């Protein structure tokens, strides 16, 4: 049962590897051709069968209520007073109600309104303390509101957006 040094250095194939089917050159060429043809064909079929995406523009007005003056951020941080009544006011200027509203402040902090639809002509106020991102709530003392992004669902089921930038 002892092996010589040359027998120990020679690679041996296991019985499983010897029993495994071998891939011929013809089959390899077929598999490579299938890998190149199937993905573009699948994309073309999906492109022709799926309905087009309809991206609508919301008719809205966004304003800030009780927002601090522009010189507020020139003060030292310790001198900035927290105002819990600062809010983002959203008004529906369209003729359709909105549901599943998502309001994003500075592209990071979000608030969700899934309860009641926002009817045409109706305005709704959201306190800045309602906006959060990954467990942190928005605090006006750190950053001014630079932009507000609104996503809403229209009655036909499509989504619509609106962006308002502030200076």
């Amino acid at each position: 049962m002892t092996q010589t040094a040359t027998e120990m250095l020679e690679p041996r194939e296991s019985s499983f590897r010897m029993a495994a089917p071998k891939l011929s050159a013809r089959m390899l060429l077929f598999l490579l051709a299938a890998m190149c043809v199937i993905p573009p064909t699948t994309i073309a079929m999906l492109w022709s069968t799926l309905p087009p995406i309809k991206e609508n523009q919301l008719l809205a007005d966004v304003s800030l209520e009780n927002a601090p003056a522009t010189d507020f951020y020139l003060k030292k941080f310790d001198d900035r007073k927290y105002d819990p009544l600062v809010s983002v006011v959203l008004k529906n200027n369209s003729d359709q109600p909105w549901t599943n509203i998502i309001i994003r402040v500075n592209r990071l902090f979000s608030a969700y309104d899934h309860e009641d639809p926002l009817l045409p002509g109706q305005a709704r106020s959201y306190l800045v303390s309602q906006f959060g991102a990954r467990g942190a709530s928005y605090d006006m003392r750190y950053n001014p509101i630079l932009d507000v992004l609104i996503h809403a669902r229209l009655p036909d089921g499509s989504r619509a957006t609106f962006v308002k930038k502030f200076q």
Side-chain angles (χ1 to χ4, degrees), residues 20-137:
K22 304 288 188 253
L23 184 64
S24 67
R26 184 176 182 170
M27 187 54 100
L28 176 65
L29 183 64
F30 175 74
L31 287 174
L32 289 174
M35 285 175 48
C36 293
V37 171
I38 290 174
T41 305
T42 304
I43 291 170
M45 287 176 46
L46 289 173
W47 186 270
S48 64
T49 57
L50 291 176
I53 295 173
K54 185 175 162 185
E55 185 67 34
N56 297 314
Q57 184 70 29
L58 288 176
L59 296 173
D61 187 29
V62 176
S63 60
L64 301 176
E65 203 171 77
N66 301 324
T70 55
D71 64 342
F72 178 77
Y73 295 99
L74 299 176
K75 298 178 187 177
K76 290 175 33 179
F77 181 78
D78 295 336
D79 296 337
R80 299 177 193 172
K81 301 281 189 230
Y82 177 72
D83 186 1
L85 299 178
V86 175
S87 59
V88 175
V89 179
L90 170 62
K91 184 176 181 191
N92 182 351
N93 290 335
S94 70
D95 58 350
Q96 299 177 342
W98 303 342
T99 56
N100 297 335
I101 302 168
I102 301 170
I103 307 104
R104 238 179 223 130
V105 172
N106 293 350
R107 299 182 184 211
L108 181 63
F109 296 93
S110 301
Y112 303 94
D113 188 358
H114 301 291
E115 293 176 13
D116 297 325
L118 187 61
L119 302 174
Q122 186 179 14
R124 197 170 287 162
S125 179
Y126 302 92
L127 292 173
V128 292
S129 59
Q130 288 179 293
F131 293 88
R134 296 183 182 151
S137 62

Side-chain angles (χ1 to χ4, degrees), residues 4 8 57 66 86 104 132-135 138 142 152 162-163 166:
T4 63
M8 295 175 82
Q57 184 70 29
N66 301 324
V86 175
R104 238 179 223 130
R134 296 183 182 151
Y138 185 76
Y142 293 104
F162 177 79
V163 177
F166 296 97

